[in-house]
Amino acid sequence: MKKNKLNEDVRQKILKNPDLVLLDQEIFMSLINENNFSDDENIVDIRNIFLKRLGAKLENLKNANDKILKNAYENQLSVNKIHKCCLSVLDSKTIQELFMKLFDEFPIFLKINSLKIVLEKTVQFDGDIKNIKYASKEELLDFSKFVGLTESRLVILREDLSYEHRFNLGLDSSQDNVESEAILSLNIKNKGLGFIFLEANDKKTFSIDQATDYLEFLSKIISKQIENLS
């Protein structure tokens, strides 16, 4: 069988942009078949380019798949964490037990460092409820407006905690080395406002590019259960 001579101009174009050939299976298979061409040395050069480019593509594909699997795994873990929190909230029989679980169990379930709650001063509960800070409705509304919480946006993630509005609610991030937080909005009987601060020492725990769907669902569950028990 007569072998073809690979044109030098064609060879240079292929070397500069091997993707042109990699995207066409027929051309690719023809070029890597040594029986088709007489200039075997040049074909070897092209094959090496193809192998390097294919290796890079495979590595990129592997990294992309690893990232997808990692995100899916982390997402599944997040679902499980939120489910545990919701079940714990719904299993509470008294308002005291509910807040005790929020403070004691949520940091364990969510793998965070601390949790703080700030409620409107007009919200009153029977019994001795500890570790809750209180603020005026005006202070809470001002805080809500500042961080961007609305009736349709119940959760805000923040990585910058050095802002005055947080300090005005009696929260000191530097004291606990807090680097990121999730702020969950509470609406109790449509007349009492409140916030739950999930605090972490790692900026990545509540990075601003994360979705908040599960945390928003959790905030609704907590608000409803507080209404039911109070």
Side-chain angles (χ1 to χ4, degrees):
M1 183 178 70
K2 183 180 179 180
K3 293 187 177 183
N4 299 312
K5 178 73 174 178
L6 185 65
N7 183 277
E8 182 62 23
D9 290 339
V10 173
R11 175 176 174 271
Q12 291 300 325
K13 288 181 180 179
I14 294 173
L15 291 175
K16 288 181 179 178
N17 192 1
D19 284 342
L20 292 175
V21 175
L22 291 174
L23 295 175
D24 190 304
Q25 185 177 4
E26 186 176 346
I27 296 177
F28 176 69
M29 295 304 297
S30 175
L31 284 173
I32 65 173
N33 186 349
E34 62 183 9
N35 295 323
N36 291 343
F37 296 92
S38 58
D39 52 344
D40 293 341
E41 184 176 347
N42 288 341
I43 290 299
V44 168
D45 291 341
I46 291 177
R47 280 183 187 155
N48 290 336
I49 291 292
F50 286 159
L51 288 173
K52 289 180 181 178
R53 183 56 59 92
L54 285 173
K57 286 181 178 292
L58 287 173
E59 185 63 25
N60 290 338
L61 182 61
K62 177 181 178 297
N63 291 338
N65 286 338
D66 288 346
K67 186 175 182 180
I68 291 173
L69 289 173
K70 180 181 178 182
N71 289 340
Y73 180 69
E74 290 178 348
N75 185 58
Q76 182 61 37
L77 287 180
S78 297
V79 174
N80 290 336
K81 291 176 184 177
I82 298 299
H83 281 174
K84 286 183 179 180
C85 291
C86 290
L87 290 174
S88 178
V89 169
L90 295 174
D91 190 50
S92 302
K93 301 298 189 295
T94 65
I95 196 71
Q96 289 91 344
E97 182 184 0
L98 171 58
F99 282 109
M100 181 184 68
K101 288 187 174 184
L102 293 180
F103 284 112
D104 295 342
E105 295 184 0
F106 272 37
I108 298 173
F109 292 157
L110 299 174
K111 299 187 183 305
I112 59 176
N113 298 93
S114 54
L115 179 146
K116 294 183 174 66
I117 298 177
V118 181
L119 297 177
E120 188 178 337
K121 291 177 180 178
T122 56
V123 178
Q124 299 295 326
F125 303 112
D126 294 332
D128 183 21
I129 308 297
K130 298 179 180 179
N131 301 322
I132 296 179
K133 296 181 181 297
Y134 291 91
S136 67
K137 184 176 183 179
E138 291 72 21
E139 289 174 325
L140 293 176
L141 287 174
D142 187 46
F143 176 84
S144 181
K145 182 178 180 180
F146 174 78
V147 296
L149 289 165
T150 64
E151 290 184 2
S152 59
R153 190 179 186 185
L154 300 177
V155 175
I156 292 290
L157 306 181
R158 291 188 62 94
E159 299 171 11
D160 177 17
L161 280 72
S162 58
Y163 56 99
E164 184 178 356
H165 289 74
R166 193 178 195 277
F167 185 76
N168 290 341
L169 296 182
L171 306 178
D172 186 358
S173 60
S174 61
Q175 183 179 358
D176 299 322
N177 298 318
V178 180
E179 294 292 336
S180 66
E181 67 180 359
I183 308 172
L184 281 61
S185 180
L186 300 177
N187 191 337
I188 306 165
K189 294 183 178 178
N190 295 318
K191 58 183 178 181
L193 301 176
F195 303 107
I196 296 178
F197 295 81
L198 307 178
E199 304 175 333
N201 296 154
D202 188 347
K203 280 188 178 293
K204 296 180 181 179
T205 302
F206 297 116
S207 59
I208 58 177
D209 59 341
Q210 295 177 358
T212 59
D213 308 55
Y214 300 135
L215 289 174
E216 288 180 3
F217 178 74
L218 178 60
S219 72
K220 293 178 182 178
I221 292 293
I222 296 173
S223 294
K224 193 62 181 177
Q225 188 69 347
I226 292 176
E227 288 183 16
N228 293 337
L229 297 176
S230 58

